[in-house]
Amino acid sequence: MNSRSSPEKRKSADQESVLLRIIQQLMEELHPQMQSARPIQLDSSLDRDLGLDSLARVELLGRIEQQFEIALSEHILATAESPRDLLRCIKTSHKIAVLPSPETTITPSGDNGPAELAPLSATTLLEVLNSHVHSDPERIHLVYEQHGQPEQTLTYEELSRGAERIAAGLQHHNIEPGDTVAIMLPTGLDYFFCFFGILLAGGIPVPLYPPARPTQIEEHLRRHRGILNNGRAKILITMAEVKQIGRLLKARVESLETVDTPEAFVNGGNKFTPIPVSSNDVAFIQYTSGSTGDPKGVVLTHANLLANIRAMGGVAKVSGADVFVSWLPLYHDMGLIGAWFGSLYYGCRLVIMQPLSFLARPERWLWAIHKHRGTLSASPNFGYEFCIRRLDDKRLEGLDLSSWRMAFNGAEPVSAETITCFSERFEPYGFNPRAAAPVYGLAESSVGLAFPPPDRGPIIETVSRETLNISGRAVPVEAGESGSLKFVSCGNPLPGHQIRIVDESGRELPDRYQGLLQFKGPSATSGYFRNPQKSRELFCGQWLDSGDLAYAANGELFITSRIKDIIIRGGRNIYPHELEELVGNIPDIRKGCVAVFGSLEEKSGTERLVILAESRKQGEQARDELRSQVVNHSVDLLGMPPDEVVIAPPGTVLKTSSGKIRRGACRELYEQGGVGKPRRALWLQLTRIALGGVVPQIRRQLRRFGESLYAAYCWLIYGLIGVPLWLLVVVVPSLNLRWRVVRRGLGLLFFFTGVKITRYGFENVTPDQPLILVSNHASYLDSLVLAATLPISCSFVAKAELEDNFFVRVMLNRLDVIFVERFDMEKGVADSHRIEEHVAAGRRPLFFAEGTLQRMVGLLPFQLGAFVTGARTEVPVLPITIRGTRNILRSGSWFPRRGRISVTVSEPIPAKSSDWDGAITLRDAVRDQILRSCGEPDLGNVYTSLSQMELKRPENHEQSNSGHPHD
């Protein structure tokens, strides 16, 4: 019996492999630039995960029949939900005499080599490690570089065994699933063993940064006592120096039972008992840096982390062939998640060194990239600035950075000057300026939220300071213009993640308006650990507040400041990081040790501008000279002097564990009299400052009131015009006359609401020419705009659900709208044939080829319905591009705003052939034309199954499977 079952199993496995390869090939044809976050598996949903519409399914069935020489029922179009369903039909179908075509013959895939090592089906970090241990246990996972000592390497199997030893020791110390274990260790192999050992034992790691010097231990532990209490840490794994005062620490942290070194948990020959871990279990608690307040414990699950790693890696095109070189500390999310977990997941080698090694000799970082041919590396902005200032040519002789393909810059404000200077400084050493990759992230989104594409280079904008301060609008100006600000783009939101910019009342702002950045996505935390008050403040419905101010432009994200750091003085917004950078360039002022903050003046209620700067200069005269220089630089930049300049000794400016300035803590230190003495301002000066801030506040309130009034006015106009228009469409007998009435009525609607529509390329519309019209889809207004502007009659293709509403059904039927079924695959195919018949009869169907709309900026992949019709009927497709409607009325919003709209009609594009390849080529040509005209980023390049699932959620927008509009 076994001898017979073995060939059957092999045959079944071959059929499975061939089927998945057929689907993979079809997906590559449909979306050639798509970066898939998950592999195509037997249980992948043909709808949600792969996004196959009815026509794509027809093509898939044809290829399956040809490859396997079988005949399949068309009923499978409606019933098959996954490749497993298709495989079941393949096994039960009979062979027919059909020879496979050479173009579609698929052979089972073999080993793809080291570039594809990511365990795409893993649901936890433990499964990621186990996958590598099973596939290649002796493969080197990381290289630990210590100056003056031999390199240490760690394979996947060694990491797994070391973690099991730690886990056994933790279980011997009565760790139970869900208990928190704090890790306060410097960078070293012990850190990796301890982190995974805690996970294996069912515990929750809590990374803490270790004291830099033995003399700081007691002060350091006092600062961490709050974290240990909030996290209810049961065990603290730390250094020998900290262990010595463990008894004192346990007396102050009620939950803490053990304070010991890693060695104490691996001795004794304890036996490890595996603990089941699921994707929704907490992977670790990341305590925020506390740059704007007390540290808060961000709860991150395995699902959060893997979603973030897959999204970041997909955009950056990470593979097992990459080498990540990192000096980042492992207690910080960029070093822990971005460098270590990312390298672990993709199977690329991680070269790691201690942060102090970099700070002592920054060239060691660059030489490690040279030596190991590093392709990826990351640093906060100060790391790049450090290399610019500290390194001379003698230390860099022979350096080659040509292998470095992405230099991530994040975790703190990104300086345009640093980006430019680093590229200029190290381009002679092989550094590619296009490798510079400013990114944005925060612990509440695991680590990453916005990334630029590889090999694009940074985008730096210069905007008017005055306009941004007064109206909140980021208006570009010429570089170098006086009174300007520079901001660096952090790229686009990661696939599957969304961002929005809102005002103080929570209403979404158009492009180029500064507001509060909010986000959501699969990487987002569920809240703060044991802190319900802060968790409530974090969430705004489904969205999370970042605490950062930003604006968006053409899909790019520009961070302007932390919202709590903005200083309002005389009605103007002052961005601390810009002034800090300028003051830090003054000779004898310590670079990176300047804090700019606002201090509330109790009597007047206004904010005073205070600059706290560190210097080693002694003597009052020398410090007075430095104060004068600081004042002059402030006047040059802001047009106003600061209220107070405090020159303090080194170590005064407080920072977070990642090196960010703790402006709030510095303000408290200043207000408590810890540094300098505040200078009282004259009452007249304070009064003028207070009065100067009244007008901008009134202007902001009036602007908000005006926006609400305009929205209400728009809906009044919609009602006054919409009701009579409906009645006229119902009673007018002629179709052409109905459309004339609609055009006139919608023209009045846009006129009275003040929306100007500009037309381009309308000479490409020939009244008697057979055409298929295809447009992008950005807003609910798109159908109204096209109906008002197009000079020819056409038949909108709309979803069948609209027929459920009596008033909508009556009006659309009178306007010759073609209704199609989106969810029934058999009816969807029948609808496609029906549209072809309409085209043959002379009607002009109009498709919204994205098949859906979303609130985020960007052009989605196009569905195939319109293009298969165009190829089969040999009727050219007319590309139509709509711009501006998204800013006026976004998906999911019913709050219209003022704006301008443009409609661009390009030249008709004929199909080159009537087959499947002709439809694909036609789709790509039309989409390229619309993409060039719409001014929005191409979301097709990073469109993953993860983002498809996010886009299809009902709370985001309507779902579509057939490539037809929902208007």
Side-chain angles (χ1 to χ4, degrees):
M1 184 173 180
N2 290 337
S3 62
R4 289 196 303 269
S5 63
S6 181
E8 292 176 0
K9 289 183 179 179
R10 286 198 297 270
K11 179 181 177 181
S12 177
D14 288 345
Q15 289 177 333
E16 175 184 336
S17 177
V18 172
L19 173 62
L20 295 179
R21 289 281 291 174
I22 292 174
I23 300 174
Q24 180 66 44
Q25 180 174 310
L26 178 63
M27 292 297 295
E28 290 172 357
E29 292 178 10
L30 291 172
H31 307 293
Q33 304 299 325
M34 186 176 71
Q35 299 294 318
S36 180
R38 292 181 181 273
I40 298 174
Q41 299 175 325
L42 284 180
D43 293 313
S44 297
S45 170
L46 298 178
D47 174 25
R48 294 190 312 274
D49 298 333
L50 305 182
L52 296 181
D53 58 29
S54 55
L55 296 176
R57 291 191 185 205
V58 171
E59 177 66 19
L60 175 60
L61 260 61
R63 296 188 181 191
I64 291 174
E65 288 179 335
Q66 192 170 37
Q67 176 64 39
F68 290 99
E69 303 177 21
I70 58 177
L72 296 174
S73 169
E74 289 190 0
H75 184 64
I76 298 173
L77 282 171
T79 59
E81 296 183 357
S82 68
R84 189 180 298 279
D85 296 333
L86 296 174
L87 182 62
R88 189 179 302 113
C89 294
I90 291 171
K91 292 178 179 179
T92 57
S93 298
H94 298 290
K95 288 276 185 177
I96 60 174
V98 178
L99 295 176
S101 167
E103 289 80 15
T104 58
T105 300
I106 310 296
T107 57
S109 61
D111 185 9
N112 291 318
E116 296 184 5
L117 296 173
L120 299 174
S121 60
T123 61
T124 67
L125 291 175
L126 295 175
E127 289 181 15
V128 170
L129 177 57
N130 288 337
S131 174
H132 290 304
V133 171
H134 291 145
S135 62
D136 195 355
E138 298 303 319
R139 182 178 173 85
I140 294 177
H141 166 43
L142 63 86
V143 178
Y144 178 39
E145 278 208 345
Q146 291 179 283
H147 180 64
Q149 299 183 30
E151 291 179 350
Q152 293 180 272
T153 61
L154 188 67
T155 67
Y156 293 109
E157 185 173 28
E158 290 169 343
L159 174 58
S160 179
R161 289 180 178 175
E164 287 184 2
R165 289 193 293 269
I166 293 290
L170 290 171
Q171 290 178 337
H172 181 71
H173 283 76
N174 300 318
I175 278 292
E176 298 179 359
D179 286 344
T180 52
V181 179
I183 309 174
M184 187 187 291
L185 293 170
T187 297
L189 299 186
D190 283 341
Y191 199 103
F192 302 100
F193 297 140
C194 290
F195 194 98
F196 264 91
I198 297 169
L199 290 179
L200 285 171
I204 302 174
V206 179
L208 302 176
Y209 64 96
R213 295 184 297 273
T215 56
Q216 295 179 331
I217 288 178
E218 291 191 35
E219 177 188 355
H220 188 83
L221 292 181
R222 280 198 299 270
R223 293 177 62 187
H224 279 304
R225 186 178 63 185
I227 293 178
L228 294 170
N229 274 314
N230 176 259
R232 289 183 175 175
K234 192 171 185 179
I235 292 177
L236 172 62
I237 306 177
T238 186
M239 306 172 294
E241 296 87 347
V242 177
K243 177 185 175 181
Q244 296 174 3
I245 59 172
R247 182 178 299 177
L248 175 62
L249 188 58
K250 286 191 287 184
R252 299 189 177 188
V253 179
E254 183 178 352
S255 62
L256 195 60
E257 298 178 0
T258 304
V259 178
D260 221 325
T261 61
E263 291 77 11
F265 297 94
V266 298
N267 296 327
N270 301 304
K271 186 178 180 180
F272 165 61
T273 302
I275 301 294
V277 178
S278 69
S279 62
N280 291 322
D281 288 338
V282 179
F284 79 105
I285 299 175
Q286 174 72 50
Y287 276 85
T288 61
S289 59
S291 59
T292 60
D294 294 331
K296 301 175 286 291
V298 179
V299 177
L300 296 173
T301 65
H302 291 271
N304 293 147
L305 295 175
L306 291 180
N308 202 241
I309 291 166
R310 285 166 174 150
M312 292 188 298
V315 174
K317 298 181 180 178
V318 181
S319 73
D322 279 304
V323 177
F324 200 121
V325 179
S326 177
W327 60 265
L328 300 169
L330 292 170
Y331 51 78
H332 191 259
D333 48 14
M334 183 183 275
L336 183 67
I337 305 172
W340 181 27
F341 293 167
S343 299
L344 177 70
Y345 179 82
Y346 285 99
C348 58
R349 183 167 299 185
L350 173 64
V351 179
I352 198 161
M353 63 180 66
Q354 290 194 0
L356 290 178
S357 180
F358 164 76
L359 295 174
R361 298 287 297 274
E363 68 271 17
R364 292 173 183 166
W365 176 37
L366 304 182
W367 278 109
I369 295 173
H370 165 98
K371 175 182 176 182
H372 297 276
R373 307 313 298 152
T375 59
L376 307 171
S377 195
S379 170
N381 190 82
F382 90 86
Y384 295 98
E385 180 70 30
F386 204 47
C387 290
I388 297 170
R389 292 186 294 106
R390 289 286 299 272
L391 299 181
D392 54 36
D393 293 338
K394 293 181 179 179
R395 301 187 191 183
L396 304 176
E397 188 174 348
L399 180 68
D400 180 12
L401 299 177
S402 60
S403 64
W404 197 356
R405 68 177 186 86
M406 290 202 80
F408 304 109
N409 185 334
E412 65 183 28
V414 180
S415 165
E417 180 183 359
T418 300
I419 289 279
T420 303
C421 290
F422 187 87
S423 296
E424 292 174 353
R425 176 72 174 85
F426 293 98
E427 190 171 6
Y429 298 96
F431 180 76
N432 183 356
R434 294 193 304 275
V439 297
Y440 172 74
L442 64 169
E444 287 79 358
S445 183
S446 295
V447 61
L449 182 58
F451 266 49
D455 199 39
R456 186 194 69 180
I459 294 177
I460 300 173
E461 282 200 348
T462 306
V463 302
S464 167
R465 180 198 308 275
E466 183 177 1
T467 306
L468 187 66
N469 288 340
I470 293 176
S471 68
R473 188 162 180 241
V475 178
V477 296
E478 292 294 328
E481 184 173 321
S482 61
S484 61
L485 289 166
K486 284 187 177 181
F487 295 115
V488 181
S489 167
C490 296
N492 314 116
L494 292 174
H497 298 70
Q498 295 191 50
I499 64 169
R500 68 175 185 176
I501 311 296
V502 299
D503 61 16
E504 295 92 334
S505 59
R507 289 199 296 263
E508 191 163 355
L509 293 169
D511 271 13
R512 294 204 165 276
Y513 274 86
Q514 177 183 255
L516 177 62
L517 172 64
Q518 296 182 339
F519 67 96
K520 64 178 179 178
S523 305
T525 179
S526 59
Y528 298 119
F529 189 68
R530 296 184 63 236
N531 199 333
Q533 176 61 34
K534 292 298 181 181
S535 295
R536 282 192 293 270
E537 295 173 4
L538 175 65
F539 285 89
C540 181
Q542 297 178 358
W543 298 86
L544 289 80
D545 284 325
S546 69
D548 287 318
L549 291 174
Y551 69 90
N554 298 324
E556 301 283 335
L557 176 64
F558 295 83
I559 305 296
T560 57
S561 181
R562 292 288 303 175
I563 190 169
K564 293 184 178 180
D565 292 336
I566 284 286
I567 304 166
I568 302 176
R569 187 175 184 273
R572 296 182 57 184
N573 290 342
I574 297 174
Y575 301 89
H577 65 86
E578 184 188 21
L579 186 54
E580 289 167 353
E581 184 175 349
L582 186 65
V583 172
N585 290 327
I586 298 175
D588 297 322
I589 295 290
R590 299 187 70 204
K591 183 79 171 180
C593 297
V594 181
V596 175
F597 51 85
S599 178
L600 190 66
E601 170 43 65
E602 293 183 2
K603 293 183 179 179
S604 64
T606 60
E607 276 193 309
R608 304 175 69 247
L609 177 61
V610 180
I611 302 176
L612 174 63
E614 294 183 7
S615 175
R616 300 186 187 278
K617 281 285 187 178
Q618 301 292 328
E620 194 59 32
Q621 182 177 354
R623 296 194 174 203
D624 284 341
E625 292 176 357
L626 284 178
R627 290 190 189 97
S628 297
Q629 293 184 58
V630 171
V631 170
N632 292 336
H633 279 66
S634 177
V635 172
D636 291 341
L637 180 66
L638 306 176
M640 66 175 72
D643 293 288
E644 184 79 19
V645 177
V646 181
I647 306 298
T652 303
V653 174
L654 303 176
K655 300 182 181 181
T656 70
S657 61
S658 59
K660 290 188 283 188
I661 302 297
R662 298 173 60 202
R663 299 188 183 98
C666 290
R667 179 193 302 113
E668 292 180 8
L669 182 68
Y670 166 80
E671 292 176 346
Q672 292 170 1
V675 290
K677 292 183 179 180
R679 182 180 58 188
R680 293 185 178 180
L682 297 174
W683 69 270
L684 183 59
Q685 182 182 0
L686 293 175
T687 302
R688 290 177 61 187
I689 293 174
L691 292 176
V694 170
V695 175
Q697 290 293 335
I698 294 176
R699 189 184 295 120
R700 292 189 185 98
Q701 295 299 327
L702 288 175
R703 186 176 71 247
R704 293 194 205 105
F705 177 74
E707 290 173 348
S708 300
L709 193 63
Y710 174 76
Y713 168 75
C714 285
W715 283 109
L716 176 64
I717 296 298
Y718 296 162
L720 292 176
I721 293 179
V723 173
L725 187 61
W726 186 88
L727 293 173
L728 286 172
V729 169
V730 171
V731 300
V732 169
S734 166
L735 177 62
N736 288 334
L737 187 56
R738 289 177 214 139
W739 270 108
R740 290 176 60 186
V741 169
V742 167
R743 292 190 190 101
R744 183 62 62 88
L746 293 178
L748 290 174
L749 184 147
F750 288 117
F751 174 79
F752 283 113
T753 55
V755 176
K756 182 179 179 181
I757 302 178
T758 306
R759 299 166 174 83
Y760 300 100
F762 272 59
E763 65 276 6
N764 294 316
V765 182
T766 304
D768 298 328
Q769 182 184 9
L771 291 170
I772 295 172
L773 292 77
V774 167
S775 174
N776 62 317
H777 203 9
S779 169
Y780 303 126
L781 295 176
D782 293 339
S783 298
L784 305 183
V785 170
L786 294 180
T789 57
L790 289 177
I792 59 174
S793 61
C794 58
S795 299
F796 283 83
V797 181
K799 62 184 181 181
E801 297 96 285
L802 292 176
E803 291 186 291
D804 296 337
N805 184 293
F806 170 79
F807 294 99
V808 174
R809 181 179 70 250
V810 170
M811 184 169 189
L812 295 186
N813 278 327
R814 298 285 288 172
L815 293 175
D816 200 29
V817 169
I818 302 172
F819 292 102
V820 296
E821 178 59 54
R822 299 185 302 159
F823 303 110
D824 188 315
M825 290 300 161
E826 292 186 38
K827 289 183 179 180
V829 174
D831 289 336
S832 298
H833 293 303
R834 182 162 54 91
I835 293 174
E836 291 176 18
E837 295 173 357
H838 289 322
V839 173
R843 295 169 69 178
R844 302 185 187 94
L846 190 154
F847 293 80
F848 290 110
E850 290 171 277
T852 186
L853 77 152
Q854 60 167 7
R855 48 161 302 283
M856 285 179 58
V857 175
L859 188 68
L860 298 173
F862 279 9
Q863 303 291 339
L864 281 168
F867 311 104
V868 170
T869 301
R872 290 177 177 172
T873 60
E874 299 182 349
V875 172
V877 174
L878 186 72
I880 303 174
T881 307
I882 306 173
R883 295 184 66 168
T885 54
R886 197 191 305 273
N887 277 338
I888 294 177
L889 188 65
R890 293 195 179 227
S891 171
S893 170
W894 298 104
F895 191 90
R897 297 178 180 273
R898 293 180 176 87
R900 293 174 176 267
I901 298 173
S902 69
V903 179
T904 302
V905 179
S906 304
E907 294 183 1
I909 301 176
K912 294 184 178 180
S913 63
S914 60
D915 56 7
W916 176 261
D917 291 338
I920 295 290
T921 303
L922 180 60
R923 180 204 62 178
D924 293 343
V926 172
R927 189 175 186 277
D928 287 344
Q929 182 60 53
I930 293 178
L931 182 63
R932 285 195 294 268
S933 303
C934 72
E936 295 190 353
D938 184 2
L939 296 187
N941 290 336
V942 294
Y943 202 65
T944 65
S945 60
L946 183 63
S947 63
Q948 287 173 354
M949 292 166 63
E950 177 70 16
L951 289 171
K952 290 176 182 288
R953 290 178 183 172
E955 68 268 23
N956 294 331
H957 50 66
E958 299 286 355
Q959 180 179 359
S960 177
N961 296 319
S962 59
H964 305 305
H966 60 270
D967 294 294

PDB file of all heavy atoms in Angstrom, residues 89-104:
ATOM      1  N   CYS A  89     -10.350  20.295  -8.238  1.00  0.00           N
ATOM      2  CA  CYS A  89     -11.007  20.089  -9.533  1.00  0.00           C
ATOM      3  C   CYS A  89     -10.054  19.450 -10.536  1.00  0.00           C
ATOM      4  O   CYS A  89     -10.468  18.623 -11.364  1.00  0.00           O
ATOM      5  CB  CYS A  89     -11.518  21.422 -10.071  1.00  0.00           C
ATOM      6  SG  CYS A  89     -12.838  22.164  -9.091  1.00  0.00           S
ATOM      7  N   ILE A  90      -8.785  19.816 -10.466  1.00  0.00           N
ATOM      8  CA  ILE A  90      -7.792  19.229 -11.371  1.00  0.00           C
ATOM      9  C   ILE A  90      -7.692  17.725 -11.143  1.00  0.00           C
ATOM     10  O   ILE A  90      -7.632  16.926 -12.083  1.00  0.00           O
ATOM     11  CB  ILE A  90      -6.420  19.910 -11.164  1.00  0.00           C
ATOM     12  CG1 ILE A  90      -6.466  21.360 -11.661  1.00  0.00           C
ATOM     13  CG2 ILE A  90      -5.309  19.135 -11.872  1.00  0.00           C
ATOM     14  CD1 ILE A  90      -5.237  22.173 -11.291  1.00  0.00           C
ATOM     15  N   LYS A  91      -7.704  17.308  -9.887  1.00  0.00           N
ATOM     16  CA  LYS A  91      -7.544  15.889  -9.555  1.00  0.00           C
ATOM     17  C   LYS A  91      -8.753  15.061  -9.992  1.00  0.00           C
ATOM     18  O   LYS A  91      -8.622  13.863 -10.265  1.00  0.00           O
ATOM     19  CB  LYS A  91      -7.318  15.737  -8.050  1.00  0.00           C
ATOM     20  CG  LYS A  91      -5.983  16.288  -7.576  1.00  0.00           C
ATOM     21  CD  LYS A  91      -5.836  16.143  -6.072  1.00  0.00           C
ATOM     22  CE  LYS A  91      -4.487  16.661  -5.601  1.00  0.00           C
ATOM     23  NZ  LYS A  91      -4.318  16.548  -4.131  1.00  0.00           N
ATOM     24  N   THR A  92      -9.922  15.683 -10.046  1.00  0.00           N
ATOM     25  CA  THR A  92     -11.141  14.932 -10.366  1.00  0.00           C
ATOM     26  C   THR A  92     -11.554  15.077 -11.827  1.00  0.00           C
ATOM     27  O   THR A  92     -12.551  14.485 -12.243  1.00  0.00           O
ATOM     28  CB  THR A  92     -12.294  15.401  -9.464  1.00  0.00           C
ATOM     29  OG1 THR A  92     -12.489  16.817  -9.636  1.00  0.00           O
ATOM     30  CG2 THR A  92     -11.986  15.102  -8.007  1.00  0.00           C
ATOM     31  N   SER A  93     -10.801  15.857 -12.597  1.00  0.00           N
ATOM     32  CA  SER A  93     -11.162  16.057 -14.009  1.00  0.00           C
ATOM     33  C   SER A  93     -10.466  15.030 -14.878  1.00  0.00           C
ATOM     34  O   SER A  93      -9.395  14.502 -14.534  1.00  0.00           O
ATOM     35  CB  SER A  93     -10.769  17.475 -14.447  1.00  0.00           C
ATOM     36  OG  SER A  93     -11.478  18.437 -13.704  1.00  0.00           O
ATOM     37  N   HIS A  94     -11.063  14.761 -16.044  1.00  0.00           N
ATOM     38  CA  HIS A  94     -10.533  13.776 -16.978  1.00  0.00           C
ATOM     39  C   HIS A  94      -9.663  14.461 -18.015  1.00  0.00           C
ATOM     40  O   HIS A  94      -9.905  15.598 -18.417  1.00  0.00           O
ATOM     41  CB  HIS A  94     -11.675  13.022 -17.669  1.00  0.00           C
ATOM     42  CG  HIS A  94     -12.536  12.257 -16.714  1.00  0.00           C
ATOM     43  ND1 HIS A  94     -12.096  11.133 -16.051  1.00  0.00           N
ATOM     44  CD2 HIS A  94     -13.812  12.471 -16.292  1.00  0.00           C
ATOM     45  CE1 HIS A  94     -13.058  10.670 -15.279  1.00  0.00           C
ATOM     46  NE2 HIS A  94     -14.117  11.461 -15.408  1.00  0.00           N
ATOM     47  N   LYS A  95      -8.672  13.728 -18.483  1.00  0.00           N
ATOM     48  CA  LYS A  95      -7.768  14.236 -19.510  1.00  0.00           C
ATOM     49  C   LYS A  95      -8.515  14.405 -20.834  1.00  0.00           C
ATOM     50  O   LYS A  95      -9.399  13.632 -21.174  1.00  0.00           O
ATOM     51  CB  LYS A  95      -6.607  13.262 -19.720  1.00  0.00           C
ATOM     52  CG  LYS A  95      -5.602  13.233 -18.579  1.00  0.00           C
ATOM     53  CD  LYS A  95      -4.592  14.343 -18.744  1.00  0.00           C
ATOM     54  CE  LYS A  95      -3.510  14.249 -17.670  1.00  0.00           C
ATOM     55  NZ  LYS A  95      -2.487  15.278 -17.852  1.00  0.00           N
ATOM     56  N   ILE A  96      -8.113  15.437 -21.596  1.00  0.00           N
ATOM     57  CA  ILE A  96      -8.600  15.620 -22.954  1.00  0.00           C
ATOM     58  C   ILE A  96      -7.400  15.805 -23.860  1.00  0.00           C
ATOM     59  O   ILE A  96      -6.291  16.084 -23.410  1.00  0.00           O
ATOM     60  CB  ILE A  96      -9.540  16.843 -23.068  1.00  0.00           C
ATOM     61  CG1 ILE A  96      -8.804  18.126 -22.650  1.00  0.00           C
ATOM     62  CG2 ILE A  96     -10.779  16.659 -22.222  1.00  0.00           C
ATOM     63  CD1 ILE A  96      -9.613  19.367 -22.880  1.00  0.00           C
ATOM     64  N   ALA A  97      -7.623  15.661 -25.120  1.00  0.00           N
ATOM     65  CA  ALA A  97      -6.507  15.727 -26.080  1.00  0.00           C
ATOM     66  C   ALA A  97      -6.182  17.173 -26.405  1.00  0.00           C
ATOM     67  O   ALA A  97      -6.572  17.710 -27.433  1.00  0.00           O
ATOM     68  CB  ALA A  97      -6.868  14.972 -27.349  1.00  0.00           C
ATOM     69  N   VAL A  98      -5.508  17.823 -25.495  1.00  0.00           N
ATOM     70  CA  VAL A  98      -5.073  19.210 -25.710  1.00  0.00           C
ATOM     71  C   VAL A  98      -3.582  19.281 -25.442  1.00  0.00           C
ATOM     72  O   VAL A  98      -3.107  18.846 -24.390  1.00  0.00           O
ATOM     73  CB  VAL A  98      -5.820  20.179 -24.759  1.00  0.00           C
ATOM     74  CG1 VAL A  98      -5.314  21.588 -24.958  1.00  0.00           C
ATOM     75  CG2 VAL A  98      -7.320  20.117 -25.009  1.00  0.00           C
ATOM     76  N   LEU A  99      -2.839  19.802 -26.384  1.00  0.00           N
ATOM     77  CA  LEU A  99      -1.393  19.897 -26.211  1.00  0.00           C
ATOM     78  C   LEU A  99      -1.046  21.241 -25.594  1.00  0.00           C
ATOM     79  O   LEU A  99      -1.558  22.278 -26.016  1.00  0.00           O
ATOM     80  CB  LEU A  99      -0.679  19.743 -27.557  1.00  0.00           C
ATOM     81  CG  LEU A  99      -0.818  18.381 -28.219  1.00  0.00           C
ATOM     82  CD1 LEU A  99      -0.145  18.411 -29.580  1.00  0.00           C
ATOM     83  CD2 LEU A  99      -0.234  17.286 -27.350  1.00  0.00           C
ATOM     84  N   PRO A 100      -0.167  21.258 -24.593  1.00  0.00           N
ATOM     85  CA  PRO A 100       0.197  22.528 -23.968  1.00  0.00           C
ATOM     86  C   PRO A 100       1.014  23.396 -24.905  1.00  0.00           C
ATOM     87  O   PRO A 100       1.821  22.917 -25.674  1.00  0.00           O
ATOM     88  CB  PRO A 100       1.020  22.096 -22.741  1.00  0.00           C
ATOM     89  CG  PRO A 100       1.548  20.753 -23.102  1.00  0.00           C
ATOM     90  CD  PRO A 100       0.520  20.113 -23.975  1.00  0.00           C
ATOM     91  N   SER A 101       0.762  24.695 -24.789  1.00  0.00           N
ATOM     92  CA  SER A 101       1.521  25.661 -25.586  1.00  0.00           C
ATOM     93  C   SER A 101       2.871  25.895 -24.957  1.00  0.00           C
ATOM     94  O   SER A 101       3.006  25.885 -23.732  1.00  0.00           O
ATOM     95  CB  SER A 101       0.742  26.984 -25.649  1.00  0.00           C
ATOM     96  OG  SER A 101       1.555  28.013 -26.134  1.00  0.00           O
ATOM     97  N   PRO A 102       3.920  26.106 -25.764  1.00  0.00           N
ATOM     98  CA  PRO A 102       5.244  26.358 -25.192  1.00  0.00           C
ATOM     99  C   PRO A 102       5.267  27.575 -24.276  1.00  0.00           C
ATOM    100  O   PRO A 102       6.012  27.636 -23.318  1.00  0.00           O
ATOM    101  CB  PRO A 102       6.124  26.586 -26.429  1.00  0.00           C
ATOM    102  CG  PRO A 102       5.398  25.933 -27.554  1.00  0.00           C
ATOM    103  CD  PRO A 102       3.952  26.052 -27.242  1.00  0.00           C
ATOM    104  N   GLU A 103       4.397  28.596 -24.580  1.00  0.00           N
ATOM    105  CA  GLU A 103       4.434  29.806 -23.757  1.00  0.00           C
ATOM    106  C   GLU A 103       3.876  29.578 -22.366  1.00  0.00           C
ATOM    107  O   GLU A 103       4.193  30.312 -21.442  1.00  0.00           O
ATOM    108  CB  GLU A 103       3.633  30.933 -24.433  1.00  0.00           C
ATOM    109  CG  GLU A 103       4.271  31.511 -25.680  1.00  0.00           C
ATOM    110  CD  GLU A 103       4.034  30.625 -26.893  1.00  0.00           C
ATOM    111  OE1 GLU A 103       3.152  29.741 -26.827  1.00  0.00           O
ATOM    112  OE2 GLU A 103       4.724  30.796 -27.897  1.00  0.00           O
ATOM    113  N   THR A 104       2.993  28.573 -22.211  1.00  0.00           N
ATOM    114  CA  THR A 104       2.341  28.398 -20.916  1.00  0.00           C
ATOM    115  C   THR A 104       2.770  27.140 -20.198  1.00  0.00           C
ATOM    116  O   THR A 104       2.226  26.797 -19.172  1.00  0.00           O
ATOM    117  CB  THR A 104       0.813  28.361 -21.108  1.00  0.00           C
ATOM    118  OG1 THR A 104       0.492  27.295 -22.001  1.00  0.00           O
ATOM    119  CG2 THR A 104       0.301  29.662 -21.673  1.00  0.00           C
TER     120      THR A 104
END
